[in-house]
Amino acid sequence: MGSTPTESSLDGLSVWRRVIPAVGLLLVVAAIGRSINELTSSGGPVEAGLDLILLSAPGVVMLYIGLWLPTSSIKPGFYPRIVTWTCGGVVVMGIVLGLRVLHPGVEVNFTFGTQAVLLSIGSIAGLGIGVNNAQALTHAKTLEERNDTLQRTEQRLEEAVGQLQDSNERLEQFAYAASHDLQEPLRMVTRYLELAERRYGDDFSEDCQEFIDFAVDGAERMSDVIDGLLEYSQVDTQGDSFDDVDLDAVLDDVLADLTFKIEESDATVTREPLPTIEGDDRQLHQLFQNLLSNAIEYSGDDPPQIHVSAAQGEDEWTVSVRDEGIGIDIDDSDRIFDIFQRLHSIEDHAGSGIGLALCKRIVERHGGSIWVDSDSNEGSTFSFTLTARVESTSVPSVAARRERTTGLTGIGHHENADQAAPQTTNTD
């Protein structure tokens, strides 16, 4: 089979690499021959030894460089340049010798050994310049190739980002359209089932009535899932612009919204002062409401005990919602933040499986992260970080909170306590 153009070019370049050790070997052989000739003629051993050293040393250097080149970082394409510089050194030294001989008024009688030594020194000088030049060019070419690779990578990344943005926009448009297109038939199903129940409910058997109840409940749950998907898909694009948000005020509003649920479950909510940060007030309200609702829902058989706190780090706040409920197995601590990941059946606990996934997207939009520290039957602490925007001396630092133990107070009413003490919310 014929060789490819690339293979042929590499073979041609390897010939250039062999030129340097070949010249070096020639110099070594010439040095040995010259020394033998000195010993057999009228010259003494000192002259023979000096000729051997002076002529063979450049040859040994060339042999070493020839063997070193394939292992070096120098690209084969620069081998001809090294050979050219080596030959150029010999030519320049020859011109210098010639000019010296031809100089008027100067009588010079160079011996053969002197001429050979000077020419070999010129070849070593040219070799050194050539190797140094080839290394510099190799480095420059490597940088150029890396820059080209980086530019291509950046271009592919920009294309991928553009495609992802287009995909997200199409997904959001689909979610919006699907929510409207699906909600209408669901509402129709629910209305007609309810109409049938009102008109003919007395004639329905017990089984028939149960079937209608199941159908209405399924339609309502499907409607909730669609609303949750729509809200989840529009966290980034439909969110409000960031502004100063007082998290204490947000928590007050959430507790007001959950008043009935808190009363019904006989829950106790204690709190510490929360900071003011830059964010989306509406989405942060949704974040707190989801976490508090979950804490109440998964409280187990005992009345819910919930504590909300905040700790300041170097450049962020860590807000925590702690409960003493049924807890979460450690193996499920990451999975629960994925969409539609439920740990319990609908019969045990209501929900669409979107709430915590929505919390994660809201926190990530605010530049933070969310996680849970929990174990089965030992309660859960959901924590999330928010970038620190406004300094507040009323909220304890992480170190201060570690030094202070704050227990849940007994069931009482929502009061304005001292800022250093936790506040308690309950609706007995």
Side-chain angles (χ1 to χ4, degrees), residues 104-424:
V106 178
E107 184 177 351
V108 179
N109 185 21
F110 289 117
T111 64
F112 172 79
T114 302
Q115 296 175 17
V117 168
L118 292 176
L119 292 175
S120 63
I121 291 175
S123 67
I124 291 299
L127 177 63
I129 296 174
V131 169
N132 185 69
N133 180 254
Q135 286 178 324
L137 292 174
T138 297
H139 182 65
K141 189 172 183 63
T142 300
L143 289 178
E144 182 180 357
E145 291 174 350
R146 289 179 179 175
N147 287 335
D148 291 342
T149 302
L150 181 60
Q151 290 176 355
R152 289 193 297 269
T153 302
E154 290 178 348
Q155 183 178 0
R156 288 195 295 267
L157 182 60
E158 290 176 357
E159 293 174 354
V161 170
Q163 293 173 356
L164 182 61
Q165 290 175 343
D166 293 340
S167 177
N168 286 339
E169 290 177 0
R170 289 193 296 268
L171 181 61
E172 290 167 3
Q173 292 171 357
F174 168 78
Y176 181 80
S179 67
H180 286 273
D181 294 343
L182 291 175
Q183 287 286 18
E184 183 57 33
L186 280 174
R187 283 192 291 266
M188 183 178 294
V189 169
T190 303
R191 284 198 300 266
Y192 276 100
L193 286 173
E194 292 174 346
L195 179 62
E197 184 179 20
R198 285 196 302 270
R199 287 188 179 182
Y200 311 107
D202 295 338
D203 299 329
F204 288 162
S205 65
E206 185 177 343
D207 288 343
C208 185
Q209 183 63 52
E210 185 180 9
F211 296 158
I212 288 181
D213 292 340
F214 283 151
V216 172
D217 179 67
E220 290 176 348
R221 283 193 284 109
M222 177 61 76
S223 179
D224 291 340
V225 169
I226 293 172
D227 288 339
L229 276 175
L230 181 61
E231 190 168 9
Y232 178 84
S233 66
Q234 295 181 338
V235 167
D236 292 325
T237 58
Q238 300 299 320
D240 298 331
S241 58
F242 282 13
D243 200 355
D244 287 347
V245 178
D246 182 357
L247 295 185
D248 272 322
V250 171
L251 183 56
D252 288 338
D253 292 340
V254 170
L255 292 174
D257 292 343
L258 296 176
T259 297
F260 176 76
K261 197 168 186 177
I262 293 173
E263 291 178 349
E264 185 180 41
S265 61
D266 196 23
T268 298
V269 178
T270 59
R271 57 191 291 185
E272 298 179 15
L274 301 180
T276 296
I277 58 100
E278 257 188 35
D280 183 333
D281 181 86
R282 181 179 59 84
Q283 290 185 349
L284 291 172
H285 183 282
Q286 182 70 60
L287 172 64
F288 275 98
Q289 182 162 320
N290 285 359
L291 294 178
L292 288 172
S293 296
N294 280 354
I296 295 173
E297 176 69 26
Y298 297 96
S299 61
D301 298 330
D302 298 328
Q305 303 288 323
I306 305 168
H307 183 64
V308 182
S309 61
Q312 184 176 15
E314 292 184 1
D315 56 359
E316 64 183 13
W317 293 97
T318 299
V319 182
S320 299
V321 177
R322 188 180 76 233
D323 63 63
E324 297 183 0
I326 62 176
I328 300 169
D329 190 276
I330 191 171
D331 294 333
D332 298 320
S333 58
D334 293 329
R335 186 167 66 89
I336 60 173
F337 294 104
D338 295 334
I339 193 167
F340 294 134
Q341 294 297 315
R342 296 179 53 89
L343 304 183
H344 306 278
S345 64
I346 293 291
E347 290 75 15
D348 293 335
H349 295 281
S352 61
I354 301 176
L356 288 177
L358 179 60
C359 289
K360 182 179 180 181
R361 286 207 68 182
I362 291 174
V363 171
E364 288 177 346
R365 186 194 174 212
H366 287 74
S369 58
I370 186 170
W371 68 94
V372 61
D373 297 311
S374 179
D375 205 349
S376 296
N377 303 316
E378 294 185 5
S380 304
T381 300
F382 284 86
S383 302
F384 57 90
T385 57
L386 297 171
T387 303
R389 299 290 187 183
V390 180
E391 295 296 332
S392 175
T393 58
S394 64
V395 182
S397 66
V398 175
R401 288 183 66 247
R402 288 174 180 169
E403 295 175 358
R404 186 181 69 198
T405 302
T406 303
L408 292 178
T409 64
I411 297 176
H413 62 280
H414 188 199
E415 58 185 1
N416 292 323
D418 184 83
Q419 286 186 338
Q423 299 177 7
T424 304

Side-chain angles (χ1 to χ4, degrees), residues 48-119:
L50 288 175
D51 286 344
L52 177 64
I53 294 173
L54 292 175
L55 283 174
S56 63
V60 171
V61 172
M62 287 188 174
L63 280 172
Y64 172 77
I65 295 297
L67 297 174
W68 169 79
L69 274 178
T71 63
S72 69
S73 60
I74 296 176
K75 294 184 177 298
F78 297 123
Y79 291 167
R81 181 180 293 270
I82 297 175
V83 174
T84 301
W85 274 104
T86 303
C87 296
V90 175
V91 171
V92 170
M93 186 59 71
I95 292 174
V96 171
L97 291 175
L99 291 175
R100 184 63 175 170
V101 170
L102 296 175
H103 192 282
V106 178
E107 184 177 351
V108 179
N109 185 21
F110 289 117
T111 64
F112 172 79
T114 302
Q115 296 175 17
V117 168
L118 292 176
L119 292 175

